[in-house]
C-alpha cells in the first residue's frame, strides 16, 4: 500500500513524525514500511518551459523545431510529439539533466539541427504511463519554475506492508487512525478546494430503489449486502485539478480525468472503492446486481474481453453487463469527454465471491484488493458524500435527488467480552479498566462495563488483576469487524497499543508443562536425530506436484505445473539430487519427513500420510588419501532401512527382496510393489511390509528416473510410511553381565526359498528362551548337496546363564527343541 506522507499529514493534522520516525512506529504496530521514496526523485532539475514557436523540421517529416523559453533564455529543442501548442507550458529537461529512467540528456544534433534538451511525457518523467505526447501543463505555472513545485511533488511515498487481515489499513484514513495523536479522534478529512457544504437525503429500499427514472436493484443479497448510488447531472469531464493529480501521482496512480480520479481519490483516502457510470449508456437507466449468465462476456476498462461463469457477480442494466462487481468496470459505460450525466456507486460485496472471481479471471485491481480483505460496512455513506464533494468541486454539475440505497442485509456491530483477568494472564502484567479503555478507544473501539459475546477461554485462571470490577463489553467498529471477533483479538490490540517494546524483559515465574509431545512428533524427532547421526542432511520440499506425481487436485494452484498434492516424497528428493549433480556435487545424502496425500471417496477429504524418505549417492565417506572411498551400495541402503525400521514404531515389520518385472515408466501408481517396479531396479529392490500391509520400498533408482551426468554413481533411495499411532518405545532395563562362560553352537539348516531368514531367526529366539543370548547368520550356501528349492543357512547360537555354567546335555536339549520347532512351524530341517 503506497502512502503519501503529505496526504497522511493532511488527514492527521497533529502528526509531527518524520517519515523515518513514522516508519519505525508503523513497524512496531505491525505494518512495516518496505521503502521510503521521495516522489520527486530524479525530477529536481526538470523545469517548466514555454513553447514560443513551433515549425516543421526541415529534414524530417515527423519532427518539429520548438523555440522553448526556460525562464532565462530561448533555446531550440527538437521534438517528435504529434501535437505541440504554441504558448503552452511543458516539462523541460535541459541538456545535462538525467531523467528518472537513467537517460542522460546532452546537446545533440538531430538531422542537421541541434536539440538543447527534451520536452517530456508523463512516462519519461515517471509520473504516469502516457507516452503518446508531451505533458501539457495547466493552471498557474510559469517558465523556469521547478516542475516539483508546480506539480506539488515535494512529497515522500511510503510503501507500507499490509497483512491480509488488516484491510482497514488500505487507505490514508486507516493508517492515520493508527498514528494520529489521539487515534481516531485526531483524524479529519482535508478541505476540498472550491467545495461547498452538502445536505443530501438518503432513500432506502430492501431490494430495489428508484428515483427520477433511475432504478437500482440487488438480485443477489447473499453476495451484495449494500449498494449506494447517486446521480449527478451536467458534469464537465476534463483533466483533474492540480491538487488532486498531485495526490494521485504521489501514491503512484496515473491521473485520468476529474470523474475517475475523484473515485480513486476517495478510495485511497477512505478505503471504499467506487465506480462512475455514464448514465446515458445504461439501458433503461437501471443498475442490477446479478449473477452472470453462463458464457456471458464483457470488455473491461483494460481493453480485455472476459468470459464469465454462472457463479460470478456482475452489475449491469436491463440488457448488458457494465461492471465485474467489486473488480473492474466495463468499457461500454465508461466516463469519456462526452459524458454529462453520471451515476456513482459504492457497494459492499461478499469477500469470498470477489476473491473467487479474481482468481478465475486472473484479475487483481485496487478495488478487488480491498474487497477481498473486507471493506468498512459503516464507511459507504461518508465515502459517497465525500466523492460528491470532490466531483462537484472539480467537474461541476448538480446532484439529482437523494442518495439511493439498497440494503438487503443491514450491518450490526458485534460486541466482544473482555476479561481484565484474562488480559493479565496472557500478557503477564495487570491493566486497570481505565487503562484498557484508554488503549482501545483511540483505535475506534467503544468500551462499556458488563459482559458481552466472544470470550472463548473460560475460567478465572491467571489470578486477580488490579481492576475495578467485572468483565468489559467492547463494541467493535465496522472497519475492524473482519479481524476482531474474539477476546484474544482484543488482547492483541491492547498489546499493540501498549507497545511490544514496553513489556518487561525479565522472565516471569512459569510452570513447565507435564504434557508430553504426541508420539508421532516424538517419532519424527527420533528419526531426525538418527538420520542426522548417519550423516544425512534434512531437506524440505513443497507438497505441490505435477499431475503425473499427484492425485489430489488443487482448486487454486500456484501454477499449472504444480496443480496437485504429492503422493510421494522421493520425486522431490530426486530433483534435489539432480540439482546437486548440475553443480558438480557427487556425494549426496538427503532425507525428508513430510506429508503425502491420496484421493479418497467422493465428498471425502484427501487421505494424509506421514512419510520418511532418503536418497544416497556417491561415496560412503569423504574423500581422503588414506582410503579409496567406497561407494554406496545395496548393503548401505539395506542398513539404513533396518535403522529406520528399528525407530519407526511399526512393531512387526518384515523385509523381503523385491524381484518383479519393472512396470512401465508412465504406469499409474498403485501398491508399493508397483511403485518399486516403476522407480527402482527390480533386482536391487526391497519391499517393506508391516503386519502384511505394504508400507514402503527401497533400492537402486532406475537410471532413467534421474537426470545424472556420466560421472555420477548409482542413486539409492528409500521411502516408508510412518504409523499413525507408533508403538510405544520400550524403556531400556538393566541386566547384569553373566560371570559364567557361554556356549556357542552352530546350526546348518535347509530353508525353503519362500521362508524368510527373519522368520527362522524369530522362531529360534522364541524357542531358545532366556538362555539364548544371541543369534547370528554366518553362512549361506546354494549348490550341490542342497535340495532344489532350498538354501543352506548357518546360524550361530550363543547360550549363557546368569547363575551357572551350562552343561552339554542342557544345551543339547535346547538345540533339539529349536530344531523341532523349526520343522513343525516352518518346514525347516537341520542339515547334517
Amino acid at each position: 500500500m503506497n502512502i503519501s506522507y503529505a496526504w497522511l499529514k493532511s488527514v492527521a493534522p497533529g502528526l509531527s513524525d518524520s517519515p523515518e520516525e513514522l516508519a519505525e512506529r508503523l513497524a512496531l504496530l505491525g505494518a512495516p514500511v518496505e521503502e521510503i521514496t521521495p516522489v520527486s526523485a530524479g525530477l529536481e532539475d526538470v523545469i517548466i518551459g514555454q513553447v514560443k514557436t513551433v515549425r516543421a523540421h526541415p529534414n524530417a517529416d515527423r519532427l518539429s523545431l520548438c523555440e522553448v523559453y526556460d525562464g532565462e533564455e530561448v533555446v531550440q529543442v527538437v521534438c517528435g510529439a504529434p501535437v505541440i501548442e504554441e504558448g503552452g507550458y511543458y516539462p523541460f529537461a535541459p541538456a545535462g539533466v538525467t531523467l528518472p529512467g537513467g537517460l542522460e540528456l546532452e546537446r545533440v544534433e538531430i538531422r542537421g539541427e541541434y536539440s538543447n534538451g527534451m520536452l517530456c511525457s508523463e512516462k519519461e518523467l515517471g509520473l504516469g504511463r502516457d507516452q503518446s505526447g508531451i505533458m501539457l501543463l495547466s493552471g498557474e505555472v510559469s517558465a523556469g519554475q521547478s516542475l516539483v513545485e508546480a506539480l506539488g511533488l515535494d512529497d515522500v511515498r511510503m510503501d507500507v506492508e499490509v497483512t491480509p487481515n488488516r484491510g482497514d489499513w488500505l487507505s490514508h484514513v486507516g493508517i492515520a487512525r493508527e498514528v494520529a495523536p489521539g487515534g481516531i479522534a485526531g483524524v479529519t478529512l482535508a478541505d476540498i478546494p472550491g467545495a461547498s457544504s452538502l445536505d443530501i437525503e438518503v432513500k432506502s429500499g430492501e431490494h430495489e430503489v428508484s428515483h427520477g427514472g433511475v432504478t437500482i436493484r440487488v438480485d443477489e443479497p447473499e453476495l451484495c449486502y449494500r449498494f449506494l448510488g447517486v446521480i449527478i447531472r451536467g458534469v464537465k469531464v476534463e483533466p483533474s485539478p492540480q491538487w488532486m493529480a498531485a495526490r494521485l501521482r504521489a501514491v503512484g496512480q496515473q491521473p485520468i480525468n476529474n470523474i475517475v480520479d475523484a473515485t480513486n481519490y476517495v478510495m485511497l483516502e477512505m478505503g471504499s472503492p467506487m465506480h462512475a457510470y455514464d448514465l446515458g449508456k445504461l439501458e433503461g437507466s437501471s443498475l442490477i446486481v446479478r449473477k452472470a449468465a453462463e458464457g456471458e462476456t464483457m470488455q473491461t476498462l483494460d481493453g480485455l474481453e472476459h468470459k464469465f461463469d454462472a457463479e460470478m457477480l456482475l452489475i449491469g442494466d436491463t440488457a448488458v453487463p457494465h461492471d465485474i462487481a467489486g473488480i473492474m468496470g466495463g468499457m461500454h459505460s465508461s466516463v469519456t469527454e462526452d459524458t454529462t450525466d453520471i451515476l456513482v456507486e459504492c457497494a459492499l460485496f461478499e469477500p469470498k465471491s470477489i476473491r473467487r472471481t479474481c482468481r478465475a479471471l486472473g484479475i487483481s485491481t485496487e478495488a478487488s484488493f480491498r474487497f477481498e480483505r473486507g471493506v468498512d460496512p459503516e464507511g459507504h455513506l461518508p465515502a459517497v458524500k465525500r466523492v460528491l464533494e470532490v466531483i462537484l468541486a472539480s467537474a461541476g454539475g448538480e446532484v439529482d435527488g437523494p442518495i439511493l440505497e439498497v440494503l438487503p442485509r443491514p450491518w450490526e456491530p458485534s460486541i466482544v467480552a473482555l476479561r481484565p483477568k484474562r488480559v493479565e494472564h496472557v500478557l503477564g502484567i495487570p491493566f486497570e479498566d481505565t487503562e484498557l479503555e484508554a488503549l482501545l478507544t483511540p483505535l475506534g473501539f467503544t468500551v462499556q462495563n458488563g459482559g458481552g459475546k466472544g470470550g472463548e477461554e473460560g475460567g478465572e485462571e491467571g489470578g486477580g488483576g488490579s481492576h475495578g470490577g467485572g468483565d468489559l463489553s467492547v463494541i467493535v467498529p465496522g472497519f475492524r469487524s473482519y479481524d476482531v471477533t474474539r477476546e484474544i483479538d482484543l488482547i492483541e490490540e491492547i498489546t499493540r497499543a501498549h507497545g511490544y517494546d514496553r513489556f518487561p524483559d525479565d522472565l516471569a515465574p512459569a510452570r513447565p508443562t507435564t504434557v508430553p509431545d504426541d508420539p508421532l512428533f516424538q517419532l519424527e524427532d527420533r528419526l531426525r536425530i538418527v538420520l542426522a547421526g548417519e550423516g544425512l542432511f534434512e531437506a524440505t520440499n513443497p507438497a505441490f506436484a505435477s499431475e503425473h506425481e499427484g492425485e489430489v487436485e488443487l482448486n487454486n494452484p500456484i501454477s499449472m505445473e504444480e496443480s496437485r498434492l504429492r503422493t510421494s516424497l522421493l520425486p522431490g528428493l530426486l530433483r534435489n539430487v539432480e540439482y546437486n549433480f548440475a553443480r558438480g556435487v557427487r556425494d549426496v545424502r538427503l532425507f525428508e519427513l513430510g506429508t503425502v496425500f491420496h484421493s479418497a471417496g467422493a465428498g471425502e477429504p484427501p487421505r494424509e500420510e506421514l512419510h520418511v524418505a532418503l536418497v544416497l549417492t556417491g561415496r560412503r565417506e569423504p574423500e581422503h588419501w588414506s582410503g579409496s572411498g567406497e561407494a554406496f551400495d545395496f548393503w548401505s541402503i539395506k542398513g539404513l532401512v533396518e535403522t529406520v525400521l528399528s525407530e519407526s514404531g511399526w512393531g512387526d515389520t518384515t523385509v523381503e527382496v523385491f524381484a518383479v518385472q519393472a512396470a512401465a515408466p508412465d504406469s499409474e501408481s498403485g501398491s508399493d510393489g508397483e511403485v518399486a517396479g516403476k522407480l527402482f531396479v527390480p533386482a536391487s529392490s526391497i519391499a517393506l511390509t508391516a503386519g502384511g500391509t505394504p508400507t514402503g520400498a527401497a533400492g537402486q533408482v532406475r537410471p532413467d528416473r534421474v537426470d545424472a551426468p556420466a560421472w555420477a554413481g548409482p542413486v539409492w533411495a528409500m521411502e516408508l510410511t510412518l504409523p499413525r499411532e507408533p508403538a510405544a518405545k520400550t524403556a531400556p532395563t538393566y541386566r547384569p553381565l553373566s560371570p559364567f562362560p557361554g556356549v556357542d553352537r552352530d546350526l546348518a539348516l535347509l530353508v525353503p526359498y519362500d521362508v524368510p531368514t527373519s522368520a527362522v531367526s524369530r522362531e529360534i529366539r522364541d524357542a531358545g528362551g532366556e538362555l539364548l543370548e544371541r543369534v547370528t547368520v554366518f553362512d549361506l550356501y546354494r549348490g550341490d548337496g542342497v535340495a532344489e528349492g532350498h538354501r543352506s543357512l548357518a546360524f550361530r547360537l550363543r547360550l549363557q546363564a546368569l547363575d551357572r555354567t551350562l552343561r552339554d546335555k542342557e544345551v543339547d536339549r535346547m538345540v533339539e527343541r529349536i530344531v523341532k520347532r523349526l520343522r513343525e512351524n516352518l518346514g525347516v530341517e537341520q542339515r547334517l
Side-chain angles (χ1 to χ4, degrees):
M1 170 66 186
N2 286 335
I3 291 292
S4 159
Y5 177 67
W7 195 348
L8 184 65
K9 289 190 69 174
S10 72
V11 176
L15 186 64
S16 60
D17 302 64
S18 67
E20 291 73 21
E21 292 170 337
L22 185 60
E24 186 175 348
R25 284 184 60 194
L26 285 170
L28 291 174
L29 292 169
V33 175
E34 296 290 320
E35 188 176 10
I36 300 175
T37 308
V39 177
S40 61
L43 301 177
E44 296 87 350
D45 298 325
V46 180
I47 61 175
I48 294 176
Q50 183 183 20
V51 176
K52 293 294 186 179
T53 63
V54 181
R55 59 188 175 89
H57 193 294
N59 302 318
D61 294 337
R62 297 186 179 182
L63 298 179
S64 302
L65 294 181
C66 302
E67 299 291 330
V68 178
Y69 177 54
D70 63 5
E72 295 182 356
E73 60 179 337
V74 176
V75 296
Q76 178 175 281
V77 175
V78 178
C79 186
V83 178
I84 307 173
E85 297 181 8
E86 288 191 356
Y89 292 89
Y90 298 93
F92 174 55
V97 170
T98 301
L99 294 178
L103 176 64
E104 185 175 351
L105 301 180
E106 299 177 351
R107 185 175 186 267
V108 294
E109 184 179 358
I110 303 175
R111 296 288 184 94
E113 297 288 343
Y114 281 96
S115 181
N116 297 282
M118 177 187 289
L119 297 174
C120 305
S121 68
E122 288 184 351
K123 184 175 180 64
E124 290 161 341
L125 297 172
L127 298 177
R129 293 171 290 181
D130 187 5
Q131 60 180 348
S132 59
I134 54 177
M135 184 178 177
L136 178 62
L137 302 174
S138 59
E140 297 181 2
V141 296
S142 60
Q145 183 182 8
S146 166
L147 181 69
V148 171
E149 177 188 345
L151 298 185
L153 299 178
D154 187 15
D155 196 358
V156 173
R157 181 183 303 147
M158 306 178 69
D159 182 6
V160 181
E161 181 182 341
V162 177
T163 53
N165 65 313
R166 293 305 303 269
D168 61 300
W169 279 345
L170 296 174
S171 68
H172 286 76
V173 168
I175 298 294
R177 283 191 290 252
E178 296 282 335
V179 298
I184 195 170
V187 176
T188 185
L189 298 180
D191 293 335
I192 301 298
S196 56
S197 60
L198 286 175
D199 185 14
I200 187 167
E201 297 180 351
V202 178
K203 183 179 180 181
S204 295
E206 185 176 355
H207 297 291
E208 181 177 317
V209 65
S210 300
H211 174 79
V214 177
T215 300
I216 298 176
R217 189 176 81 233
V218 174
D219 291 346
E220 298 295 334
E222 296 301 317
L223 301 180
C224 178
Y225 306 147
R226 189 182 191 187
F227 194 101
L228 287 84
V230 62
I231 304 164
I232 310 174
R233 299 188 185 275
V235 298
K236 184 179 180 181
V237 180
E238 56 186 5
S240 294
Q242 185 56 48
W243 67 266
M244 184 158 56
R247 286 281 191 255
L248 295 177
R249 290 192 183 102
V251 294
Q253 294 285 318
Q254 177 187 1
I256 299 172
N257 59 53
N258 50 0
I259 303 298
V260 175
D261 292 349
T263 61
N264 289 334
Y265 176 87
V266 175
M267 176 186 68
L268 294 167
E269 182 180 55
M270 303 182 68
S272 292
M274 50 188 65
H275 183 65
Y277 302 88
D278 186 328
L279 187 59
K281 298 175 183 177
L282 299 183
E283 189 73 25
S285 296
S286 298
L287 274 186
I288 304 169
V289 183
R290 59 174 176 82
K291 284 186 177 180
E294 189 69 37
E296 191 172 7
T297 61
M298 186 187 80
Q299 186 182 30
T300 48
L301 290 170
D302 56 5
L304 300 178
E305 190 85 11
H306 293 282
K307 186 176 182 180
F308 310 115
D309 63 43
E311 294 302 315
M312 296 179 180
L313 193 66
L314 301 180
I315 302 173
D317 56 27
T318 56
V320 296
H322 291 285
D323 192 349
I324 309 175
I327 301 174
M328 187 182 292
M331 186 70 74
H332 178 67
S333 61
S334 61
V335 174
T336 66
E337 293 180 357
D338 299 326
T339 301
T340 57
D341 300 337
I342 61 173
L343 190 154
V344 180
E345 62 95 347
C346 183
L348 180 62
F349 301 107
E350 202 278 324
K352 292 180 181 178
S353 171
I354 303 298
R355 189 177 305 119
R356 177 193 174 278
T357 302
C358 282
R359 292 178 178 176
L361 298 178
I363 302 177
S364 180
T365 64
E366 292 282 355
S368 68
F369 193 76
R370 287 162 174 78
F371 279 120
E372 289 180 63
R373 287 154 179 77
V375 173
D376 181 7
E378 293 181 300
H380 293 81
L381 189 56
V384 170
K385 291 182 178 180
R386 181 67 166 176
V387 81
L388 286 176
E389 189 179 5
V390 176
I391 290 175
L392 294 178
S394 60
E398 293 184 357
V399 179
D400 182 4
I403 296 173
L404 306 178
E405 178 188 47
V406 181
L407 191 59
R409 293 180 56 178
W411 179 80
E412 292 291 338
S414 60
I415 302 175
V416 179
L418 179 65
R419 296 168 292 171
K421 290 182 179 180
R422 184 60 180 165
V423 176
E424 180 182 353
H425 178 69
V426 173
L427 302 183
I429 58 176
F431 288 89
E432 296 277 357
D433 289 2
T434 53
E435 290 180 285
L436 297 176
E437 184 175 1
L439 292 171
L440 291 173
T441 299
L443 299 177
F445 299 92
T446 302
V447 181
Q448 302 172 337
N449 290 325
K453 299 178 181 179
E456 75 280 7
E457 293 95 356
E460 295 295 328
E461 70 266 32
S466 176
H467 57 86
D471 299 346
L472 303 175
S473 292
V474 180
I475 301 175
V476 180
F479 58 85
R480 298 303 305 275
S481 59
Y482 297 93
D483 70 307
V484 177
T485 59
R486 306 168 299 164
E487 183 182 43
I488 196 66
D489 299 327
L490 287 173
I491 296 175
E492 181 181 4
E493 292 305 299
I494 293 166
T495 308
R496 290 193 319 112
H498 179 72
Y500 292 105
D501 56 334
R502 294 181 56 198
F503 285 91
D505 295 333
D506 55 312
L507 291 175
R511 180 180 63 191
T513 179
T514 58
V515 180
D517 288 341
D518 184 276
L520 201 55
F521 295 159
Q522 296 181 37
L523 172 59
E524 290 183 55
D525 291 340
R526 291 200 305 270
L527 286 172
R528 286 189 174 95
I529 293 172
V530 168
L531 292 174
E534 293 287 344
L536 279 74
F537 294 93
E538 184 172 7
T540 302
N541 291 303
F544 305 123
S546 67
E547 61 179 335
H548 302 295
E549 297 175 359
E551 300 174 356
V552 180
E553 189 172 356
L554 294 169
N555 291 331
N556 182 36
I558 295 176
S559 68
M560 295 313 297
E561 290 76 19
E562 295 181 331
S563 60
R564 308 207 175 192
L565 293 174
R566 64 188 177 188
T567 56
S568 172
L569 302 180
L570 281 180
L573 286 175
L574 293 177
R575 281 190 285 271
N576 297 150
V577 172
E578 293 171 343
Y579 181 90
N580 281 274
F581 282 164
R583 285 150 183 81
V585 180
R586 299 169 179 262
D587 307 323
V588 182
R589 305 177 184 86
L590 297 173
F591 76 93
E592 182 172 5
L593 282 158
T595 304
V596 302
F597 304 83
H598 298 279
S599 58
E604 295 292 327
R607 179 167 51 87
E608 299 183 24
E609 293 177 347
L610 183 63
H611 282 203
V612 59
L614 56 89
V615 289
L616 308 166
T617 185
R619 293 179 289 261
R620 296 184 190 178
E621 299 173 352
E623 188 176 12
H624 193 262
W625 61 267
S626 63
S628 60
E630 294 183 359
F632 287 112
D633 55 17
F634 178 83
W635 304 108
S636 305
I637 193 69
K638 182 177 182 294
L640 280 172
V641 167
E642 292 177 345
T643 299
V644 172
L645 287 175
S646 68
E647 295 288 342
S648 67
W650 269 116
D652 181 20
T653 307
T654 61
V655 180
E656 57 179 302
V657 176
F658 190 90
V660 296
Q661 265 194 329
D666 57 350
S667 62
E668 297 296 326
S669 61
S671 68
D672 287 283
E674 292 171 349
V675 173
K678 285 179 58 182
L679 187 61
F680 298 117
V681 175
S684 301
S685 301
I686 299 172
L688 309 176
T689 63
T693 302
T695 59
Q700 182 183 349
V701 178
R702 287 170 37 167
D704 61 341
R705 288 299 186 183
V706 184
D707 184 11
W711 46 258
V715 178
W716 302 88
M718 180 213 77
E719 183 160 357
L720 173 69
T721 304
L722 296 177
R724 292 182 181 273
E725 298 181 3
K729 196 72 174 176
T730 305
T733 56
Y734 166 75
R735 182 180 178 186
L737 295 175
S738 175
F740 300 97
V743 178
D744 289 337
R745 287 291 178 91
D746 293 344
L747 276 179
L749 303 173
L750 293 172
V751 183
Y753 278 127
D754 60 352
V755 177
T757 304
S758 58
V760 178
S761 179
R762 189 162 48 248
E763 289 292 343
I764 293 175
R765 289 183 180 280
D766 291 344
E770 294 182 356
L771 295 180
L772 185 59
E773 185 71 22
R774 185 170 61 250
V775 179
T776 56
V777 180
F778 69 90
D779 186 54
L780 166 65
Y781 173 74
R782 303 183 185 93
D784 295 341
V786 177
E788 185 178 353
H790 290 70
R791 65 192 187 278
S792 174
L793 290 175
F795 289 82
R796 178 159 295 151
L797 282 58
R798 176 73 171 181
L799 298 108
Q800 193 172 23
L802 292 173
D803 57 351
R804 67 189 186 281
T805 299
L806 296 177
R807 298 180 179 276
D808 287 342
K809 289 184 178 180
E810 188 177 5
V811 172
D812 291 340
R813 287 196 300 269
M814 181 177 295
V815 171
E816 290 174 3
R817 186 167 67 248
I818 290 173
V819 171
K820 180 181 179 182
R821 182 154 177 179
L822 289 172
R823 182 189 312 114
E824 294 174 350
N825 292 352
L826 299 178
V828 173
E829 296 286 349
Q830 186 176 9
R831 182 185 178 201
L832 302 175

